[in-house]
Structures are given as C-alpha cells and as structure tokens.
Amino acid sequence: METFSLITTIIALVMGVILVVGFIRNIYNNRNNSKTIRRTLIGAVILTLLAVAPFQYFKYTSDKSNFWSYGDNTSIEIIQPADSIANRYGDSLSYHSHFNEVQSFKRWMEHKLRHVNQTPAYYSDHHWSQSIMKKYLAYQQSSDSLIRDVGHLFYALHMNNLEQPSRHIQKHLIKITNKDIPYFPYIQGLTHLNSRSWGNLDNSEKFFLASIEKGECIEESYAGLSRLYWYFHQTDKLEALVYNSDTENLVPFGIRRQIYFTDFDWADYWKLMFDYEVHHWGLINAGAAAILLVLWLLFLRKFDIYEPEKWKYVIATFFISVLTMQLLYPIHDFQWAVLHYYRPLNPFSDLMYITVSVGMVEEFVKILPLLIMIKFTKAVNEPFDYILYAAIGALGFAFMENVQYYYESPYNISIRGFYCYLGHMSFSALIGYGLMLAKYRGYNKYLMFSVFFLVAAFMHGFYDFWLIDWWGQEYFWVSYLVIILCIHLLIYFTNNTLNISNFYKPEIKLNLDGIVYFALIICVICIMLGFSVISYVIGFNHGKEFLWVTVTQLLFYMFFFLLSISAIRNIRGYVSGIYVPLRGLFPPAKNEIDLTGLGLQLSISKSHQLEAELLHDLELLNQEVQLLRRFVVDDNLNAYIAQLSQPVMYNGYYTNQLILIPHWDHLNFNHKKRVLTNVYVMESDDIIAQPFVTSNDLVHLGKLFSLKIT
C-alpha cells in the first residue's frame, strides 16, 4: 500500500507541476487580454480561499479533542475502548459495564463486516479482542467465585460474538456457580442459537424468553429470538413478534423487511423502508452530500452547450432517480428471501455475487431515469443527452447512497464525494453511450443495451470487489485503476457525443479552461468539506490528519481528472478511439493540426482514373482550391471541404465545393510533396448536418494529386 501511494503521489506531483506550468503559460499567452487575466487571477484567489479559509478557521475555533458520536452510535474509525479493559477487579461486579464493554466491540466488528464478506472469527486476533479475552481469562483465575463467574460469563459472550464453536463456550458456562447471575439466560440462549442445531432450538428459545422475563438486555434478547425463529423457519412465531406493536421495533430491521416482503405486506414494507431512509438524514451528512451533488450537476451542465436542457427535466430526472433507487430494497429481498442467493466467502464466487447483486441491480435502477425520459418526454434529442441524463440518474443514486455513508462517518465525505459520484456517473454513462450508438448509428437497441449494461455491471462489480472482498482487499489498488478508467470513459463519452451533436453550431465553443477551473473547485471543496466536518464534530487535530491523508490519496486522481478534461477536442463529427489522455501535455501531432484556409493545387493523375461520366470537364479539376473547413469522414481528421476557384459540372449541376481526403492515413495536406487525394462530392447539403458521416454517404469521384501552395 505504501509503495502504491508513493508512486501515485510522485506522479501526482509531476502532474501538478504540469498544471502549474499550463496555468502560467495561459496567463502569458493572454497577457494582452486584461479581461482573461483578471478572471484568471480572481479564480486563483477563490481557490486559495477555499483551501486556506476552513483550515485557519478551525485551527483557532475548534477545541474538540474527544470522539463525538456521529450517526447511529456507530464508530467512525476512531474507537476508544472502555477503560475497564485493563486487568482490574474494582468494578468486577458491574455486570452492565462488562456487558456494554463486550458488546461495544461487537458493534465495532459488525460495522467492519457490513460490506466485507469476512467471518467474525477473523477479528479474534484484533488487539481489542485480545484485550477483552485476556481480561476475562484473568478474572477466571481469581480466588473469588463471583469474579470467576464474571470471567466465564463475559468470556463466553465474547466468544459467541466471534462465532466460536458452541461446545467450547459451554465449557465456560458450565463452570459458572451462580446460575442467577445477570445476563446468564441471554448468553446461554445465544450459545444454543450459534450451535445451529435443531436439538438446541427449544433450549435457545427458553433462555431468550427467560432473559426477557428478567428484564435483561431486552433488545438483544428479542433480536436473538427473532434470528432463532428466522434460521429455523418458525414463521408463525416470528410473525407474532413482527406484527405485535409491543415487539415489532425489537425485531432486527433485516428480518422485519423480509417478513413484510414475503407476506406481500407492502404498506408496512414501504413504511419501514421510508423510516429507514429518514433515520439517516441529518443536517451535516445530507448537507454535505447535497453540496457535492449540486457541484457535480453544474459540472455536467457546463458541457451541455449546443441545446441546453431545461432545468425542469434535469430536476425531474434527479427525483425520478431518488425514487427508482428504492427498488434496490425489494430486488435484494427477492434475491435473499426467494432465491436464497447469499454472499459467499470464495473470492471468485464473491466476484460473481457482487457483479450481480451490486453491479447489475444498481446499474438497472440507475439507468431507469434515462429510459423513462426517453419513453415519456422529447428531452433526449441529441447524443450528449444520453450521457447527461444517465449521469443525472447516477447522481441521484449516489446522493442517496452518500447520505447513508456520510451518516455512518464523516471520514467518507471526501473519498466518496470524488470516487463515488464519478464512478456512478461513468458506469451509467457507459450504458447511455450504448443507447446513443443504437439511436444514431442504427445498431439494434436491445443488443446495444444488453452489451453495454453487462459491461457496466461487470465494471461496477469489479471495482467494488477489490474494496469489499476479504481476499481482494489485499490488492485494493486495482479499484483505483478502475477509477482511472472511469474518469477517462466519462470524458471520452462526453467528448464524442458533443462532436456529433445534431445541434452543432461552429460559433459555439466549449470553454475548456472554465470547465477545468470548475473541476478544480470541485476537487478542493470535496477535500475541504470533509476536513471541515471532521474538524467540527471531532476536532481540528483529527481534521488535520485527515486532510494530509486524503490529499495524498486523491491528488493523483484529481490531477488525472483535470488533464483528461484538458485533452478534450471539440471537432465536428469526430469520434475518437480509446486513448491515453496525455495529449494535453504535448503539441498536437501533425495529422491533428487544423489546416482550414490552406491553399492547394489540384492536378489530375494519368495513373488514377476519375469518374468521367459524372464530370462534364475533367480538366477543370486542374485548379487551385482552398480548404474551407475540416469535415470529418469515417472519423478521419484530415478530411476537408474545399472551395473551388471555379465551379465544375457534376451530374448536370454545378458545384463549387468538393470533399478532399488524403489517400494515405499518415499524410495530410500540409505535406511538402504531392499528396494522393480521394475526391468526393455531396449529393445533398443535408449530409453536413449528419452527426456521423461515412464515405458511403458521399459520391467518390476518384483520385488526383494535391500540392500545398506556399
């Protein structure tokens, strides 16, 4: 991990130098344009304030130094174990304190296991777990029987939480002399439950009920009883708990939702899911997610230059995506409760599981807003709209997802504010790009949707696998390579769809400098927002440490993002292939230079025939022409519309324009020697407005030579 971080940091620093040099060069090139200089300097001041002001503010105002609970009493990465971990007997009979101490580790462990397919036993060697075990093993050596009972009892509880073999746990419970000791019934019930044996079903139920009757750990006892009934398919007893107003809120959330789902109780099901969503909404976490959402939305809008979408459609798509995201819950419940498809431990099987359960399911609900807009509105009417509306659907999904992640921990704000939004937009844009190709290139729409959907789903699953699989986490850096690909694909799709817009207007230019600057603002706000929240809720020292770690982690990807944007080429009709976005660092290749305005001398070749029956006088082609403008044909950047010095008669009509394309791909019209040139003519002016133009759309007149006029 350290080696990978070092490499990316060094590359990021090089990229940073390149961006600074580009900034200075931009100022120098526009030194006579006072308006541009003024705007550039104002932008630099704003960026500096965004980066420095929060740091200085919290440096002198934030005095928090202890962990502050954030969210549903879940830990944030910074866990402060109870003081009683030390081997001391002073509070040995404070049963409630012992219970909370052991269960606090369990809550921390469950938080870690929420996304990773690891077993609780994996954490038995963790230093916190070892401290708990050492403490209660030491209690068992006491000469006082009460203290020994405490040692055996809470050691057994800890072993249950780690899902150790129940037969070993029973050896400790048997040694307890006082069977009326607090929490004994609950821990006995838990031990019988973890045995997963039908023979222990009745005993487990008896002990959980005894614990409830004693009024001890009511919530945990009902949770254990619910899991018992669920595991052993005691549906009647489980439904009695779920549909009892006194106990329904004590049944674990996951079990309640699956009971409502299998019973087709949609009213209670959606009420439960609504309460779950609302529970995660807070001013800080929802506000942070909303700020980043708006920034990314404005970023997308900056590309929509030819036929800007109405805000009512943009906002409607966002809210549709918020609604379609809710379909995740019934789809996953169908997967678990009906198909019984649960997450495996085997890495290869887990990759397939994540691809299906995460990739396919999430990409399906994310692309629905685009499909709805295509079906029920006329808003999606240019190639870029397929990228825009797909990305907006992804932003709505990512926003709702981030509200929950930010609720869990403010440490998620910056990382997910960058990776999550970009990743989700890229995966959805991939599907949108496939639908665009079907629309504008005539491919089968069902085939294109299926292929691009499966590719996007696999990419999504492949990205997540290296982050949440117990084996894949060792190679976490593979996910970062996927992020690089995602950044490139999003810009690639955006570039290509803008170039083939059916609303293209040559006088409208993409403001790349402005977009790069705005993207840089997003990057700075993304980092400083996380720093500000952590400094506010936890303390400045934690915020400062977070700032350093996050900057080193995100720097490379942010600079790559900025360079990718700067590499965009807004050329009418040009659809590029996949490329490494470093062309912004070097002068353009010769065959990429725009030769508009160049004069050429055409000459007929005796060795290459022209279509004599289509042209009235072939000799008229021996004339001077001027390249009027670049006209991309078959994605060839060297094709041009040429203005003739005198018109020629073609097929009975006069034309004063021809399409000229070098015969050899490695040459262009700027070559110092004669260039063998293919000559085409357009039979209709409507061809100019087509998003894609191929040689089949033109009439080939033959070949001749062209020579640059110096």
Side-chain angles (χ1 to χ4, degrees), residues 469-485:
D469 178 80
W470 68 270
W471 177 82
Q473 284 185 325
E474 185 176 352
Y475 309 97
F476 71 96
W477 49 268
V478 177
S479 288
Y480 295 152
L481 297 180
V482 178
I483 282 294
I484 293 174
L485 178 61

Side-chain angles (χ1 to χ4, degrees), residues 378-403:
K378 296 180 180 180
V380 186
N381 57 1
E382 71 168 323
F384 178 67
D385 289 347
Y386 286 84
I387 306 304
L388 178 65
Y389 284 104
I392 294 172
L395 282 177
F397 180 96
F399 167 73
M400 295 296 291
E401 189 177 59
N402 278 346
V403 167

Side-chain angles (χ1 to χ4, degrees), residues 449-462:
F449 176 81
S450 300
V451 171
F452 280 77
F453 173 78
L454 291 176
V455 173
F458 179 75
M459 281 183 61
H460 192 159
F462 188 75

